[in-house]
Amino acid sequence: MRYALFLGCTTPARQMNYEQSSRAVAEALGVEFIDLPFGCCGFPLEPLDRVRALAMAAQNLRIAAEEGLDIVALCSACAESLVKARWLLSREEGVLRRVNRVLKGELGVEYGGETPRVLHYARMLHEEVGLERIREAVERPLEGLRVAVHYGCHYMRPSEVYEGFEDPERPRSLDELVEATGAESVDYPGKMECCGGALLAMSERIAREMAAGKLRRLSDLGVDALILICPFCAIMYDRYQTLILEEGRVPVLYYPQLLGLALGLKPEELGFDLNAVSVEGLLEKVGAR
Amino acid sequence: MFVDVGEFDARFLRKLKGEFDESHLACFQCGVCSASCPVIGIEAGFNPRRLVKMARLGLKRLTLSSEYIWLCSMCFLCGERCPQGVRIPEVMTALRNLAVEEGYIPEPMKRIRRLLSEAGRLYPIDDFTAEERTDRGLPQIEAEPGFVKRLTGAKP
């Protein structure tokens, strides 16, 4: 299994624990990542100019197509942006023409319908590696650990562009991935809430309040950890948690950090030193300290 | 808020219709979008049903100058639930793009465009970051992707 790894903007600069754990876990499972000269997925530019945003996504698709590689994205917003561009450009000729006008004018290239598949990292684990192989690779079952999963939004919505992957309101894949480690995925009110991350630039107040609701409920519920698969969600639930909750803080782990522990990897290989909310108690509980 | 329907602007309506997504034409104002919205409970003035209605009435100035078109969190839940298949987040994007064309650009959005067109990244890979990546055994990556700068465009 060989993929082009799409890092996005946030992860390689501000959430290196996600990148570090994702690479370590992939290696442990025999998944090879190739680094290509990708750039912004287009998502931040969409509110300003959707044609240019699509052109940016299309150029990234071209870069992967030239190498004949499918893309694995760490950030859910990047995944959605690339999946949507691929979907839209294969259906809407008018949009394709407008996008190609920009690509031609700025870069002298055209999007010719090259269509590498684009998978979120968690989806790649679920669909390509598979739960069976993950279960077999577990060396330190995380039994007794009760965690809450947060899907976020762009991992499976808009469902139209994801073409039947996951239920847009009752997804299961992340719960199943968690259960493959031996941990329990608990149901909780507000499981499908939005983290507010996409509003952070426009209104810190609204974004923070959106994140606060889920954090307070999880704190009351007393789960061992909140499990994420997107750097935007981590900024809201991990970084901002230190401003939102004075006490009863909830450790926040990226799924590959959780899986990495189950695979027997060392905490230092999984970038835990960069988690904002302390994870020491959890590491002790699973016997990694 | 008082709405003067006399401000109807037919050219704005045609332009909105000409954007990629015409799904908003099917809106019958049931309000499932607003009932599903995670933002409305925090910012009561934000109301997707109302914004779609204002746009459908051709109220160009009121719609495009409204700060509310920038407060959709893009969770896509409303679009999943709309019984008429209106892609509400796509409508928000179309309205934002048209607002930008008219010069209504919030400061944070100007900053995003500046970062992408000048640095090619939202978060720079400066020397400090590059060093930390090396320490962690992570590969070096393109600090300033040139195609991102060019594709962002330099409009103020």
Side-chain angles (χ1 to χ4, degrees), chain A residues 2-264:
Chain A
R2 218 162 153 258
Y3 304 94
L5 182 64
F6 196 91
L7 295 171
C9 297
T10 313
T11 305
R14 300 285 171 91
Q15 296 287 312
M16 283 181 237
N17 47 351
Y18 190 21
E19 181 179 350
Q20 219 178 331
S21 55
S22 297
R23 288 187 192 267
V25 161
E27 199 185 326
L29 293 172
V31 176
E32 189 187 351
F33 284 145
I34 309 294
D35 288 281
L36 297 178
F38 290 128
C40 174
C41 70
F43 178 71
L45 191 61
E46 196 181 41
L48 290 154
D49 189 329
R50 65 204 325 206
V51 177
R52 283 181 177 270
L54 281 166
M56 227 174 255
Q59 176 60 12
N60 284 304
L61 293 172
R62 289 185 72 258
I63 289 171
E66 267 175 38
E67 303 295 324
L69 290 170
D70 287 337
I71 294 174
V72 164
L74 297 182
C75 168
S76 301
C78 294
E80 188 265 336
S81 186
L82 299 175
V83 167
K84 184 163 75 184
R86 180 182 188 266
W87 183 84
L88 205 56
L89 295 175
S90 68
R91 269 164 193 77
E92 303 283 339
E93 257 183 59
V95 179
L96 179 63
R97 261 200 308 279
R98 287 165 76 178
V99 165
N100 269 336
R101 211 175 299 140
V102 173
L103 282 174
K104 215 153 180 195
E106 300 291 350
L107 307 176
V109 300
E110 274 191 49
Y111 179 80
E114 303 92 343
T115 52
R117 286 188 317 151
V118 180
L119 301 171
H120 187 283
Y121 186 87
R123 182 178 179 183
M124 178 274 291
L125 288 179
H126 192 263
E127 289 185 356
E128 311 269 303
V129 176
L131 296 172
E132 211 34 62
R133 263 186 66 195
I134 292 175
R135 275 190 218 106
E136 282 164 18
V138 168
E139 290 189 1
R140 186 195 286 142
L142 305 177
E143 272 147 26
L145 212 60
R146 295 174 69 247
V147 304
V149 303
H150 171 79
Y151 281 86
C153 304
H154 297 219
Y155 174 59
M156 71 281 165
R157 288 195 295 265
S159 58
E160 186 177 28
V161 306
Y162 280 109
E163 300 179 281
F165 156 70
E166 274 294 19
D167 185 303
E169 297 208 45
R170 285 171 206 81
R172 282 293 308 157
S173 52
L174 188 53
D175 293 86
E176 290 170 3
L177 285 168
V178 161
E179 281 154 11
T181 68
E184 181 194 350
S185 173
V186 301
D187 218 355
Y188 64 99
K191 184 177 176 180
M192 296 313 299
E193 274 171 14
C194 167
C195 73
L199 276 181
L200 194 55
M202 278 307 301
S203 169
E204 191 181 346
R205 176 184 66 83
I206 297 176
R208 196 163 144 168
E209 273 190 59
M210 285 173 76
K214 175 175 292 225
L215 287 174
R216 291 201 185 101
R217 274 191 302 278
L218 286 176
S219 179
D220 291 345
L221 207 61
V223 295
D224 289 312
L226 173 63
I227 306 301
L228 308 179
I229 50 171
C230 173
F232 270 86
C233 301
I235 286 176
M236 296 316 301
Y237 292 130
D238 192 35
R239 294 270 146 209
Y240 270 86
Q241 187 180 157
T242 59
L243 303 173
I244 292 167
L245 294 181
E246 284 293 333
E247 50 191 29
R249 286 187 185 157
V250 184
V252 178
L253 273 67
Y254 281 109
Y255 176 71
Q257 290 186 307
L258 183 82
L259 177 55
L261 289 176
L263 297 179

Side-chain angles (χ1 to χ4, degrees), chain B:
Chain B
M1 182 176 51
F2 172 72
V3 167
D4 179 5
V5 290
E7 282 199 30
F8 169 78
D9 184 327
R11 268 188 312 179
F12 165 61
L13 264 188
R14 269 201 305 279
K15 189 123 202 228
L16 189 60
K17 226 178 117 180
E19 283 299 315
F20 326 154
D21 203 295
E22 292 194 2
S23 66
H24 63 279
L25 298 173
C27 173
F28 58 28
Q29 290 286 296
C30 69
V32 161
C33 49
S34 297
S36 306
C37 179
V39 177
I40 205 168
I42 293 163
E43 179 60 58
F46 178 76
N47 184 334
R49 180 198 56 77
R50 185 186 173 98
L51 287 170
V52 173
K53 180 70 178 179
M54 277 161 60
R56 293 279 290 117
L57 285 171
L59 306 177
K60 176 179 169 180
R61 188 190 55 82
L62 264 174
T63 313
L64 298 186
S65 66
S66 168
E67 62 168 315
Y68 292 127
I69 61 174
W70 299 95
L71 295 185
C72 165
S73 77
M74 293 286 150
C75 77
F76 298 115
L77 204 48
C78 54
E80 296 292 340
R81 293 181 178 173
C82 176
Q84 287 293 88
V86 181
R87 298 178 181 94
I88 296 113
E90 299 295 325
V91 177
M92 294 295 165
T93 296
L95 291 174
R96 290 171 181 183
N97 286 187
L98 294 175
V100 169
E101 277 180 32
E102 294 293 320
Y104 300 109
I105 316 173
E107 275 312 314
M109 290 296 145
K110 287 185 190 166
R111 200 169 62 237
I112 286 172
R113 172 133 72 192
R114 203 161 49 237
L115 280 168
L116 289 178
S117 67
E118 287 171 11
R121 285 186 178 276
L122 285 189
Y123 299 109
I125 301 289
D126 51 22
D127 292 347
F128 179 78
T129 309
E131 204 180 306
E132 177 156 14
R133 291 184 61 78
T134 306
D135 290 347
R136 291 178 178 275
L138 300 172
Q140 286 314 320
I141 51 175
E142 184 76 46
E144 299 194 357
F147 78 84
V148 174
K149 294 186 194 180
R150 287 198 295 278
L151 289 177
T152 302
K155 273 185 281 179

